[in-house]
Amino acid sequence: MPDQRISAQPDPTVDPALRSWVEVPLDSGFPIQNLPYGVFRRPGEMSRPGVAIGDQVVDLAGVAGLGLLDDDLDARELLVHPSLDALLAAGRPTWTALRRALSRLLRADTADLRDHPRRGELLIPQSEVQMLLPFVVSDHADFYGSIEHATTMGRLYRPGDHDPLLPQFRHLPIGGHRRARGVVVSDTPIARPSGLRRAADGAAPVYGACEQLDFEVELAFVTGGANPPGQPIPIESAGEHIFGFVVLNDWSARDIQRYEAMPFGPFASKFMATVSPWVVTTEALGPWRVPGPSQDPPVAEYLRCREPWNLHVTLETRLQTRARRERGLPPAVVASTTTERLYWSAAQALAHLTVTGGPMAPGGVYGLGTVSGWQPEEKGCLVERTLNGAEPLTLDDGEQRTFLRDGDEVSIHGWADGPGYRLSFGAARGAIAAAHDPQRGRQHALSRTR
Ligand code: MN
């Protein structure tokens, strides 16, 4: 049995008894125990880092500029920036010190900001700000950590196989590289992609707008610090590099994917991924860390983890359609699933990502893979839910979907409940816009190559 102890020192920033002088509604999801990091902008102003508390954002550049954080933190160096890049590069000791300083500053019994004459400028209603991608995404990969998802996909895509799970599934976290520039923040429109898909047997493939556009419900970890080339990150050091987590929608063009994916994995079909604007820190998630499922056969030494690194997070997916919007109906809940049963944890994914000595820079976004359960309502993508379009999903207003239509808006909401409070990730939301005219795109490309 692995030793499943949690670190001995209790973390004062997640004490359920903590209260802030900022008013936090009970159902807010942003109590003082959360303090997720993001980057915001008000119209006409520069973008800058903030933490969410209640329905407000604390302007971290402003707070650091006034010297309200501990001197030994170099808070100006870290926070007077248009992004979180400097903070991500700084590493674990700085992250822990900053979080403790912010928790102390916002605590009910700390007067420094509470009674400061400029407090009104430094606390901004979330409703007045636009959220931006909070850091330069240096790298993006996606894993395949859900045994339920991998099994269903194996049955759908390799129906002749005796075992729908590939033999290596239980030996290592299977992953694939994606494009860093494809990671966008919530509320960025998603244009329907075009590409090649298989035609009838023997016929040439067809180029056109994707007809099987899908979502994938995921949690992703955000990395900081770096490892030099040739030096793997040992699994027991994962906490030094995992800054926090975001909700991620890994948009997937299934018809394009099916034609291109063998033998090298999905490529153009994985074109964009939408992330929630708030990065919930590893410390804030401490109370929700749980041991993962037992792994049989036993995994290689470099993947053996003594600390619990699975998370008990709920991911709820809502679909808003044009018809529902026109009739004044709220979005329909189309999937609800939790992440604690993922076969491979974030720590194992990071250890595997670097086991060969491949370097990692601050600002990596690594998806843990589509989170699915065995029940239909736990399926984290439409291809699984509808068995590749064979069984349409019927919404509560009678509308049906096999895959996404133009005008559909998908929002994935993440949260964790208890002890005594809710911790929210916000949502990863994106609406599908019509494809760029494939014919015009082709002619444009041809005219440029002539
Ligand atoms: Mn994925």
Side-chain angles (χ1 to χ4, degrees):
M1 275 290 285
D3 178 3
Q4 287 163 353
R5 82 205 137 88
I6 305 180
S7 59
Q9 291 288 323
D11 178 351
T13 67
V14 294
D15 180 349
L18 272 187
R19 292 290 177 271
S20 175
W21 48 262
V22 180
E23 197 186 326
V24 179
L26 267 179
D27 60 350
S28 136
F30 297 114
I32 189 170
Q33 292 86 353
N34 192 350
L35 304 182
Y37 292 95
V39 165
F40 70 96
R41 181 167 63 197
R42 275 199 294 198
E45 293 181 8
M46 299 282 282
S47 61
R48 50 199 190 272
V51 290
I53 183 162
D55 53 10
Q56 309 281 308
V57 189
V58 181
D59 177 348
L60 294 185
V63 165
L66 288 176
L68 293 174
L69 294 167
D70 299 2
D71 293 340
D72 52 357
L73 256 172
D74 285 333
R76 281 189 186 84
E77 291 290 313
L78 285 177
L79 298 169
V80 185
H81 290 287
S83 78
L84 300 178
D85 293 354
L87 180 61
L88 287 181
R92 170 56 58 199
T94 304
W95 304 337
T96 299
L98 177 61
R99 179 173 163 85
R100 290 188 181 199
L102 288 170
S103 177
R104 186 190 151 275
L105 188 67
L106 294 167
R107 235 165 48 192
D109 58 356
T110 308
D112 302 25
L113 179 56
R114 186 191 68 199
D115 299 342
H116 198 283
R118 292 177 65 184
R119 163 181 157 176
E121 300 162 37
L122 300 172
L123 274 173
I124 300 158
Q126 287 182 30
S127 58
E128 290 179 15
V129 304
Q130 180 196 3
M131 298 304 297
L132 306 170
L133 192 65
F135 52 90
V136 173
V137 178
S138 65
D139 190 21
H140 175 39
D142 194 32
F143 288 87
Y144 200 53
S146 157
I147 218 163
E148 296 92 333
H149 173 67
T151 302
T152 311
M153 294 301 276
R155 283 190 190 128
L156 284 174
Y157 282 18
R158 298 185 312 278
D161 285 12
H162 170 69
D163 186 351
L165 267 194
L166 291 170
Q168 63 270 46
F169 183 92
R170 289 190 170 86
H171 290 286
L172 51 77
I174 295 170
H177 250 92
R178 303 283 189 254
R179 68 194 78 209
R181 280 284 283 134
V183 178
V184 295
V185 75
S186 186
D187 288 324
T188 305
I190 302 297
R192 177 178 299 274
S194 297
L196 279 185
R197 60 175 175 273
R198 196 187 307 279
D201 275 352
V206 178
Y207 173 82
C210 169
E211 293 180 346
Q212 297 189 334
L213 186 55
D214 202 352
F215 57 80
E216 288 189 344
V217 175
E218 303 197 20
L219 201 62
F221 62 97
V222 174
T223 58
N227 65 314
Q231 289 187 24
I233 295 173
I235 198 159
E236 57 270 24
S237 301
E240 304 298 305
H241 292 279
I242 300 177
F243 174 78
F245 290 79
V246 290
V247 173
L248 182 141
N249 182 348
D250 181 25
W251 302 98
S252 298
R254 300 294 181 197
D255 42 359
I256 298 170
Q257 180 179 349
R258 218 164 4 254
Y259 187 59
E260 71 173 1
M262 292 300 279
F264 220 48
F267 187 56
S269 55
K270 299 288 193 171
F271 57 105
M272 282 172 57
T274 298
V275 292
S276 53
W278 298 110
V279 186
V280 177
T281 63
T282 301
E283 292 107 313
L285 287 163
W288 288 277
R289 284 171 64 168
V290 292
S294 66
Q295 294 184 310
D296 181 30
V299 297
E301 183 61 32
Y302 81 90
L303 293 168
R304 251 172 247 167
C305 197
R306 277 151 199 90
E307 277 185 279
W309 266 103
N310 276 53
L311 294 170
H312 192 106
V313 170
T314 299
L315 297 174
E316 184 177 278
T317 306
R318 303 173 193 166
L319 174 65
Q320 182 59 302
T321 68
R322 274 188 183 144
R324 297 181 75 89
R325 206 174 288 124
E326 278 161 14
R327 292 159 61 190
L329 292 173
V333 175
V334 293
S336 183
T337 180
T338 58
T339 59
E340 84 278 8
R341 285 171 306 183
L342 281 174
Y343 197 79
W344 296 103
S345 70
Q348 291 177 312
L350 183 63
H352 183 62
L353 185 76
T354 62
V355 67
T356 48
M360 188 203 68
V365 174
Y366 301 108
L368 296 173
T370 307
V371 184
S372 287
W374 295 119
Q375 300 305 314
E377 59 277 9
E378 295 177 312
K379 296 300 184 189
C381 57
L382 288 171
V383 68
E384 263 191 88
R385 179 70 184 267
T386 69
L387 299 174
N388 198 24
E391 292 181 11
L393 168 65
T394 304
L395 308 183
D396 58 5
D397 63 337
E399 213 182 340
Q400 291 195 322
R401 282 293 179 279
T402 49
F403 292 96
L404 297 171
R405 293 191 189 158
D406 291 352
D408 284 356
E409 183 183 74
V410 178
S411 52
I412 307 174
H413 298 253
W415 68 82
D417 272 330
Y421 57 89
R422 168 171 285 198
L423 188 97
S424 175
F425 287 77
R429 186 168 44 228
I432 308 302
H436 299 295
D437 181 344
Q439 210 55 38
R440 271 188 55 204
R442 183 169 153 268
Q443 282 165 357
H444 182 62
L446 285 173
S447 68
R448 283 176 52 169
T449 53
R450 257 185 221 128

